[in-house]
Amino acid sequence: YHQPREPVSFAKILTTAAGLRAGHDADAEVRGMACNGSQRYRGGVLWCSYPPGPLTGGLKEGFAISCNIAFANLAVEIGWPAMVDELHRWGFDRPGDERPGVPTHRDGGHSAGRILKTEGTERELASLGVGLDLTEITPLHAALLGSVLARGEMAEPALLSAVDGVLGLSPRPLA
């Protein structure tokens, strides 16, 4: 649960939050977009696994098909400062001792997300918006972010052990 990974499509939720916080009508913006399977940005091309054409379903369609282009375009519209600020709000680059429940590794690192680059080309910003290349997140941090979406607040993580009993699992906290 400590090994960093790319956040991939989880980042699309954070990109949407950044857009809304910056005053964008993210749903309307996505409805006005089209995805042809790739998009050229200053600095290179970003690919999408499925070319649906016009995204008339807005955010709902963008999330349903996990369209890279929709959220990459949204990130480019928002800009680097707003995207980086939003990631910081969700705990990226914050030391574990500043967030409840985020343990420190034995090697001194923390179980949180990191932003690997905070400025760059338009193509890099597009990549940041879809969780590729420029950010990393641990499974524990991803679960904590999921708890915000499910409960409205970041949960306090706990390690449990469970034994399969007659009526199902019987979890008990581990020290």
Side-chain angles (χ1 to χ4, degrees):
Y1 52 89
H2 291 296
Q3 188 175 13
R5 304 269 191 225
E6 291 177 339
V8 292
S9 291
F10 196 98
K12 294 171 182 173
I13 297 167
L14 307 182
T15 299
T16 301
L20 296 171
R21 193 178 311 279
H24 289 250
D25 183 344
D27 188 49
E29 288 184 30
V30 172
R31 265 192 317 250
M33 296 177 191
C35 175
N36 298 314
S38 67
Q39 176 91 23
R40 179 167 296 283
Y41 299 94
R42 286 188 304 273
V45 175
L46 183 75
W47 297 91
C48 194
S49 62
Y50 173 71
L55 297 168
T56 56
L59 282 173
K60 183 177 178 180
E61 181 179 5
F63 279 118
I65 62 172
S66 196
C67 180
N68 284 347
I69 303 307
F71 296 95
N73 287 344
L74 189 55
V76 169
E77 286 295 317
I78 296 164
W80 278 100
M83 284 297 300
V84 170
D85 179 60
E86 192 67 32
L87 291 168
H88 286 156
R89 287 173 178 270
W90 288 80
F92 284 77
D93 288 343
R94 195 174 308 158
D97 58 358
E98 289 183 15
R99 288 193 341 225
V102 179
T104 302
H105 291 242
R106 285 186 292 265
D107 65 5
H110 297 289
S111 301
R114 292 184 337 134
I115 305 169
L116 305 175
K117 196 167 186 180
T118 58
E119 58 184 39
T121 68
E122 189 177 72
R123 166 57 176 85
E124 290 170 320
L125 177 55
S127 186
L128 182 74
V130 296
L132 299 172
D133 307 325
L134 301 179
T135 51
E136 60 182 30
I137 191 170
T138 64
L140 176 59
H141 188 197
L144 292 172
L145 297 184
S147 76
V148 172
L149 299 172
R151 297 172 21 153
E153 63 184 5
M154 193 170 289
E156 179 76 26
L159 187 59
L160 300 176
S161 175
V163 176
D164 192 10
V166 176
L167 298 175
L169 296 178
S170 303
R172 65 185 191 325
L174 296 176

